[in-house]
Amino acid sequence: MKRNSTILCIGFLMFGLLVLPFLTACGDDGGGPTQSVTSPAETSAPPETTAPVEYLVTYTEEREPCKCRNANKNLYWGELHAHTILSYDAYVWGTMTTPEQAYEFAKGGTIILSARGSDQIQQVRLSRPLDFTALTDHQEYLSETYLCTNEDSGAYDCPLCQQFRAGGLTNLIPFSFNLAADPASHIKQICQSPGVDCEAISRNVWKTILQNAENAYDRTSDCSFTAFPAYEFTLSPKLSNKHRNIIFRNAEVPELPPSAFEQSDEQGLWAELVETCLQKDNDCDCIAIPHNSNWSNGHMFMLDYPEGMSLEEQREEAAFRAQMEPLVEIAQHKGSMECRNGFEGIPYDPLCDFEKIRDENTKECTEPGAGGMSGMGCISRYDYIRNVLKLGLSEWLRLGVNPYKIGIVGGTDNHNGLPSKVEEYDFPGCMGMCDDSPAERLGYEPDLPSFSLYNPGAITAIWAVENSRDALFESLRSRETYATTGPRITVRFFGGWDFPAGLCEADDFISKAYETGVPMGADLTGKPENASAPTFAIMAEKDPGIKGHPGTDMQQIQIIKGWVDSDGNEMEKVFTVAGDPYNGASVDPQTCEPIGEGWEHLSTVWTDPEFDPSLPAFYYVRVVENPSCRWLQYDCNKFAEDDMPESCSNPVIKDVIQEMAITSPIWYEPAS
């Protein structure tokens, strides 16, 4: 019998198609978490929110208030990192998808995926529409891409533009290496052509990007889809990744926001965004989201205080970072950045092997290195977010400010113009003509980033009052977000000091949790004298899937705790708080049919049994599914046994995975 549980549903429209569970029944009978109940209860919707919209959301733009809004937050799914034909590398790889087509795809439309130089044509569609999308085309080379692809431009016939249009890795290298220079700059051979003004062209293309987002955005009370103005800041010194996605709250944006051609470090990026956006006498607001720290050789989160900087100046710098970068992308098609095994002094966690693309024997950085974007150089423990979160606690102890109080989002970094195309069973590739067929996707080159080591990517979940730019952005700022590696698992996570064991059984579970505790992304403060330790209420619902592709059962809920001990050591521990990691479930790789069962619903109220009120700590939730087929196995199963590519039997490449959801942390800082 499949394990299920009582569910109380709220009546808001989820995924544009589904009513998704919001309140759940759970509890602790004293002997451990209650994990399953056999009979479903009647579903009921809460009364319509009567508070005025101004109370729930601060509007910074003209729009109709959403008909569907909820003081206890609705769950919205979307993409914060995808590229179209406007990105130089996507174009060189052969991508033809325009921003208009990408938005149509995100809303649930069918588009034709094709690539220049390839005879592969695919009709592609999301299994379920998205609620929001930010297209993050590279700000660098907007003008060069335009000039090389428009016949009327003054640079169209220059040799480098001809190579650009020919595409392929060889013709991408000059652009990538130019971007890796310090400082990076526009391509002189293109931008110094007669009659060419690259800055003016970039400004015009940026206006087009903004108009595309505006056209896709639903300002009516239906609030069916939100499109954010956004771009990628592609800083790549010595081929080390220091990329950020910049998400704007509304259409009040700089005339031309900073790229790596204007700013050679993240501090310069933040400073220019403050000057051209945050300090403007309008409603401009933005955040920067780092991604692919696994390719940064220790640069992305390096503590880099100039020599002679006072402690107070360091505090200001740390607070500035925390203000500008409240979130981090924890997973995407180039790997998972949550954690990694093999670093000295850090305990082994089997799930930290999930979607890694660098060799496990790569040397650990003693100082920042180079070449990570080409699979070269050292790997830093601080290339992985769990260790960065611990570093933030150490900095809090030293400075009184945590520069790495970062919440969690996910993305795809898809370069085909396919936001959140994350289904393992239907992966069309993500890099234009380079991986548009199973044979291409299954290629493998030792010691190099290979397509068979990539994955479909991750998706962002936001708990927000409504589906508008302002409401979603406020939740991004407050970090009430999480990521999954593809499935749409529902997760609620609250922390408090006196949650009762039966909290989740209450009809008003969510409102009580907000009233007496804090949600994911927040600080747990105000410890009562009679409280021995914090308690956490967690609820998870499996992805229901779609017809023909049911979701995978859940295996377990884990809480990952990080802290700094009394000797200054950065510590971590993984607690299984619901479910069973040894439930015996597996999958048949030949058919991808699941073997065994897990849970459709898991929830619990858990108290930290090792809490020390004198030590700072963070807690985040990881919800883990039963094993399922990785996309590679679905592709390999399309071949006859004698025709299978080498990667189908390569032990380095995983064919079975366990997908997961990872929440933003809740932080505890002792009172000073």
Side-chain angles (χ1 to χ4, degrees), residues 14-334:
M14 301 304 299
F15 313 146
L17 295 174
L18 302 173
V19 176
L20 197 64
F22 173 76
L23 301 178
T24 61
C26 68
D28 190 335
D29 62 4
T34 299
Q35 299 172 34
S36 61
V37 182
T38 56
S39 58
E42 292 184 7
T43 61
S44 60
E48 182 179 350
T49 301
T50 57
V53 69
E54 292 81 5
Y55 174 75
L56 298 175
V57 183
T58 301
Y59 278 165
T60 62
E61 59 179 3
E62 292 293 329
R63 63 155 300 121
E64 295 181 35
C66 296
K67 289 184 294 189
C68 180
R69 66 183 193 273
N70 180 5
N72 286 331
K73 310 290 179 67
N74 300 329
L75 181 58
Y76 298 108
W77 294 98
E79 173 73 275
L80 294 174
H81 190 183
H83 297 266
T84 72
I85 193 173
L86 297 183
S87 287
Y88 75 99
D89 49 353
Y91 186 94
V92 173
W93 286 130
T95 292
M96 300 293 288
T97 312
T98 66
E100 295 91 339
Q101 291 171 321
Y103 282 127
E104 178 185 354
F105 177 81
K107 293 179 179 183
T110 299
I111 68 171
I112 302 298
L113 183 64
S114 62
R116 294 181 314 283
S118 171
D119 58 3
Q120 296 289 330
I121 296 177
Q122 305 177 69
Q123 280 196 338
V124 289
R125 185 174 183 173
L126 284 172
S127 61
R128 289 161 285 190
L130 301 179
D131 299 304
F132 63 89
T133 292
L135 297 181
T136 53
D137 284 305
H138 298 286
Q139 190 74 1
E140 297 75 16
Y141 300 141
L142 285 180
S143 54
E144 285 87 340
T145 302
Y146 176 88
L147 288 162
C148 287
T149 57
N150 283 269
E151 294 184 15
D152 296 333
S153 82
Y156 184 81
D157 291 325
C158 82
L160 198 55
C161 277
Q162 294 180 42
Q163 296 171 29
F164 183 84
R165 292 193 297 276
L169 177 60
T170 300
N171 294 316
L172 178 62
I173 287 175
F175 290 82
S176 298
F177 273 61
N178 185 71
L179 200 57
D182 189 11
S185 64
H186 283 287
I187 302 287
K188 293 180 181 179
Q189 298 95 311
I190 298 173
C191 288
Q192 292 182 359
S193 298
V196 167
D197 184 341
C198 273
E199 182 176 331
I201 293 170
S202 295
R203 190 178 293 110
N204 287 334
V205 178
W206 175 238
K207 288 179 181 177
T208 301
I209 289 171
L210 299 179
Q211 190 59 54
N212 288 330
E214 193 65 23
N215 293 343
Y217 182 33
D218 183 2
R219 290 179 178 272
T220 74
S221 60
D222 290 338
C223 298
S224 62
F225 185 78
T226 294
F228 285 105
Y231 74 97
E232 179 169 336
F233 174 80
T234 320
L235 186 64
S236 312
K238 298 180 181 179
L239 288 178
S240 290
N241 186 298
K242 299 183 74 175
H243 301 182
R244 269 85 174 162
N245 291 319
I246 314 303
I247 313 296
F248 290 95
R249 179 170 182 149
N250 51 46
E252 295 284 352
V253 300
E255 184 177 357
L256 183 62
S259 74
F261 298 155
E262 291 78 43
Q263 299 298 337
S264 59
D265 56 37
E266 59 269 37
Q267 289 82 4
L269 165 69
W270 306 331
E272 185 168 339
L273 288 172
V274 168
E275 180 182 352
T276 60
C277 177
L278 301 181
Q279 288 182 345
K280 285 291 186 180
D281 188 20
N282 56 22
D283 290 312
C284 188
D285 198 359
C286 63
I287 56 175
I289 304 176
H291 68 85
N292 277 119
S293 54
N294 60 333
W295 277 11
S296 79
N297 305 110
H299 286 278
M300 182 72 80
F301 298 108
M302 179 177 62
L303 291 171
D304 188 18
Y305 300 116
E307 186 176 352
M309 180 179 276
S310 68
L311 277 178
E312 183 56 37
E313 289 171 328
Q314 292 180 43
R315 291 186 190 98
E316 292 174 0
E317 182 74 13
F320 190 27
R321 179 187 285 268
Q323 173 197 2
M324 297 304 298
E325 297 191 350
L327 299 165
V328 66
E329 185 180 282
I330 203 164
Q332 59 128 276
H333 88 260
K334 295 192 289 289

Side-chain angles (χ1 to χ4, degrees), residues 496-498 524-534 611 613:
W497 294 110
D498 54 359
L524 185 57
T525 60
K527 178 184 174 300
E529 290 186 5
N530 61 346
S532 60
F611 179 67

Side-chain angles (χ1 to χ4, degrees), residues 198-514:
C198 273
E199 182 176 331
I201 293 170
S202 295
R203 190 178 293 110
N204 287 334
V205 178
W206 175 238
K207 288 179 181 177
T208 301
I209 289 171
L210 299 179
Q211 190 59 54
N212 288 330
E214 193 65 23
N215 293 343
Y217 182 33
D218 183 2
R219 290 179 178 272
T220 74
S221 60
D222 290 338
C223 298
S224 62
F225 185 78
T226 294
F228 285 105
Y231 74 97
E232 179 169 336
F233 174 80
T234 320
L235 186 64
S236 312
K238 298 180 181 179
L239 288 178
S240 290
N241 186 298
K242 299 183 74 175
H243 301 182
R244 269 85 174 162
N245 291 319
I246 314 303
I247 313 296
F248 290 95
R249 179 170 182 149
N250 51 46
E252 295 284 352
V253 300
E255 184 177 357
L256 183 62
S259 74
F261 298 155
E262 291 78 43
Q263 299 298 337
S264 59
D265 56 37
E266 59 269 37
Q267 289 82 4
L269 165 69
W270 306 331
E272 185 168 339
L273 288 172
V274 168
E275 180 182 352
T276 60
C277 177
L278 301 181
Q279 288 182 345
K280 285 291 186 180
D281 188 20
N282 56 22
D283 290 312
C284 188
D285 198 359
C286 63
I287 56 175
I289 304 176
H291 68 85
N292 277 119
S293 54
N294 60 333
W295 277 11
S296 79
N297 305 110
H299 286 278
M300 182 72 80
F301 298 108
M302 179 177 62
L303 291 171
D304 188 18
Y305 300 116
E307 186 176 352
M309 180 179 276
S310 68
L311 277 178
E312 183 56 37
E313 289 171 328
Q314 292 180 43
R315 291 186 190 98
E316 292 174 0
E317 182 74 13
F320 190 27
R321 179 187 285 268
Q323 173 197 2
M324 297 304 298
E325 297 191 350
L327 299 165
V328 66
E329 185 180 282
I330 203 164
Q332 59 128 276
H333 88 260
K334 295 192 289 289
S336 169
M337 280 67 71
E338 182 201 359
C339 52
R340 184 184 181 94
N341 290 314
F343 296 120
E344 185 177 354
I346 296 179
Y348 177 75
D349 175 351
L351 291 175
C352 288
D353 291 333
F354 179 82
E355 295 294 4
K356 295 296 176 289
I357 64 173
R358 299 288 307 276
D359 187 273
E360 62 182 8
N361 297 315
T362 303
K363 182 180 178 182
E364 181 177 357
C365 298
T366 56
E367 59 183 30
M373 296 178 67
S374 57
M376 300 172 63
C378 61
I379 298 177
S380 169
R381 64 184 61 206
Y382 297 117
D383 289 343
Y384 295 90
I385 307 309
R386 187 185 296 176
N387 297 324
V388 175
L389 290 167
K390 291 184 291 185
L391 179 61
L393 299 180
S394 294
E395 284 296 278
W396 180 84
L397 286 169
R398 189 177 72 88
L399 297 174
V401 177
N402 184 344
Y404 302 121
K405 193 167 282 188
I406 41 181
I408 302 304
V409 296
T412 61
D413 197 5
N414 188 294
H415 278 60
N416 279 346
L418 305 179
S420 293
K421 190 71 176 79
V422 292
E423 300 91 349
E424 301 282 336
Y425 60 82
D426 187 29
F427 181 40
C430 55
M431 294 295 286
M433 64 185 176
C434 297
D435 62 347
D436 61 350
S437 69
E440 293 288 348
R441 286 193 292 274
L442 294 170
Y444 175 71
E445 292 288 339
D447 303 320
L448 289 173
S450 299
F451 291 119
S452 56
L453 294 176
Y454 292 161
N455 68 89
I459 188 170
T460 293
I462 302 177
W463 288 105
V465 168
E466 65 181 22
N467 188 15
S468 65
R469 284 174 175 169
D470 284 308
L472 294 174
F473 192 88
E474 287 178 2
S475 289
L476 290 172
R477 269 235 177 264
S478 65
R479 303 180 294 261
E480 198 166 352
T481 61
Y482 65 95
T484 86
T485 58
R488 299 192 184 189
I489 305 167
T490 302
V491 187
R492 284 288 207 181
F493 176 40
F494 293 92
W497 294 110
D498 54 359
F499 287 162
L503 173 66
C504 297
E505 299 171 355
D507 291 347
D508 58 353
F509 161 45
I510 302 300
S511 59
K512 283 292 186 184
Y514 275 119

